[in-house]
Amino acid sequence: MKQVRKREIVRAGTTVEQMVRAIADMIVTGAMQPGDRLDEISLAGRFEVSRTPVREALRQLCTMGLVDREPNRSAVVTNVTGRYLSSMFEAMAELEGICARLSAERMTVDERHALERMHRESMRLVHAGSEEDYAAHNMEFHTRLYRGAHNDHIFELVTQTRSRLAPFRRAQFRIAGRLAKSYAEHDGIVIAILRGDIQAAGQAAYAHVSIVSEASATFVRPDVPAPSTKAG
């Protein structure tokens, strides 16, 4: 796994969401390795919180597939392999393609203008090289795309899948030049939606997620078994 610069751990006032994000980022970037134990007491002290939010954070990390926990044992970091990640990104690409096609067909005029406006405004984040702010923008951009499909069932499916991929989608923005490329890919989606071009919108969204998958592969470990968690 490629090593990247480490970020400071969030401490006082930490929420479950912040804790999940911090631990997930450490796992994705290699600060935590497969088989590393995640002890509740140690994590509570590290983040200066009680054990209750730690348990909830670990539960969410298990749902994301980044942590494994057997009954009556400490949680451990799983081995996130290329096979596992590519299968999720494959599903994500299909779902986002559907959302983009439906958005091109169903978005209201106001929704289309709002999407275009927030997209154009994000160029300043690209110029500033603001990874964290652009990552937040990216989440909002895609949420608008999902809601623009006007299908509650698809929205639920795509947001659940996105939550599992979130650490890897954030990690891509640490790669040099990725912000500008992401903006250009978003541009293709927005233009197609503004034109009402259903086919082009779906193709642009599918291609975008496929490229994100390739970028995120930088942070994936080889397809090898994680160390045994049976002992200890």
Side-chain angles (χ1 to χ4, degrees):
M1 173 179 287
K2 183 178 179 179
Q3 296 289 333
V4 295
R5 65 181 182 277
K6 296 181 180 179
R7 297 173 184 271
E8 290 187 7
I9 301 299
V10 179
R11 292 189 181 279
T14 299
T15 65
V16 171
E17 181 181 355
Q18 289 173 319
M19 200 182 314
V20 168
R21 177 168 177 164
I23 296 172
D25 284 348
M26 286 188 287
I27 293 172
V28 170
T29 59
M32 289 183 175
Q33 295 292 316
D36 283 356
R37 297 187 181 280
L38 300 169
D39 178 70
E40 288 183 8
I41 296 176
S42 298
L43 287 172
R46 187 172 192 175
F47 289 98
E48 298 181 0
V49 296
S50 69
R51 294 177 66 178
T52 298
V54 170
R55 291 193 190 101
E56 174 58 22
L58 291 176
R59 186 193 67 78
Q60 292 187 27
L61 289 162
C62 285
T63 300
M64 295 165 71
L66 295 175
V67 168
D68 185 33
R69 187 168 201 172
E70 296 181 2
N72 302 317
R73 294 183 182 274
S74 297
V76 296
V77 176
T78 59
N79 185 34
V80 182
T81 66
R83 188 180 300 109
Y84 170 84
L85 196 62
S86 64
S87 68
M88 284 199 295
F89 268 114
E90 183 177 49
M92 195 74 203
E94 294 289 352
L95 288 169
E96 293 225 12
I98 292 170
C99 288
R101 290 198 300 272
L102 291 177
S103 288
E105 178 183 4
R106 299 176 179 178
M107 264 189 170
T108 65
V109 173
D110 286 345
E111 286 174 330
R112 293 171 201 263
H113 288 167
L115 181 69
E116 180 185 26
R117 183 167 56 253
M118 81 163 296
H119 168 59
R120 301 302 175 201
E121 290 174 351
S122 72
M123 177 53 78
R124 63 181 177 79
L125 303 178
V126 176
H127 288 319
S130 181
E131 299 170 11
E132 292 289 342
D133 290 339
Y134 189 87
H137 153 77
N138 184 65
M139 179 168 285
E140 176 61 23
F141 176 88
H142 286 275
T143 298
R144 286 177 183 265
L145 197 64
Y146 308 156
R147 292 201 179 282
H150 293 280
N151 183 304
D152 292 339
H153 184 61
I154 291 176
F155 180 82
E156 181 179 357
L157 288 174
V158 73
T159 51
Q160 287 176 347
T161 305
R162 179 178 68 176
S163 69
R164 300 187 70 178
L165 287 169
F168 292 93
R169 296 187 76 153
R170 285 197 304 272
Q172 65 170 312
F173 299 124
R174 298 173 189 172
I175 300 173
R178 183 60 199 144
L179 294 186
K181 290 178 181 177
S182 175
Y183 180 90
E185 291 155 21
H186 285 183
D187 203 50
I189 297 171
V190 171
I191 290 172
I193 289 176
L194 292 177
R195 291 175 177 171
D197 190 330
I198 298 173
Q199 183 176 2
Q203 290 175 341
Y206 184 94
H208 172 53
V209 177
S210 297
I211 293 170
V212 172
S213 177
E214 293 174 4
S216 300
T218 303
F219 301 92
V220 179
R221 302 179 180 93
D223 291 324
V224 295
S228 174
T229 61
K230 298 296 184 182

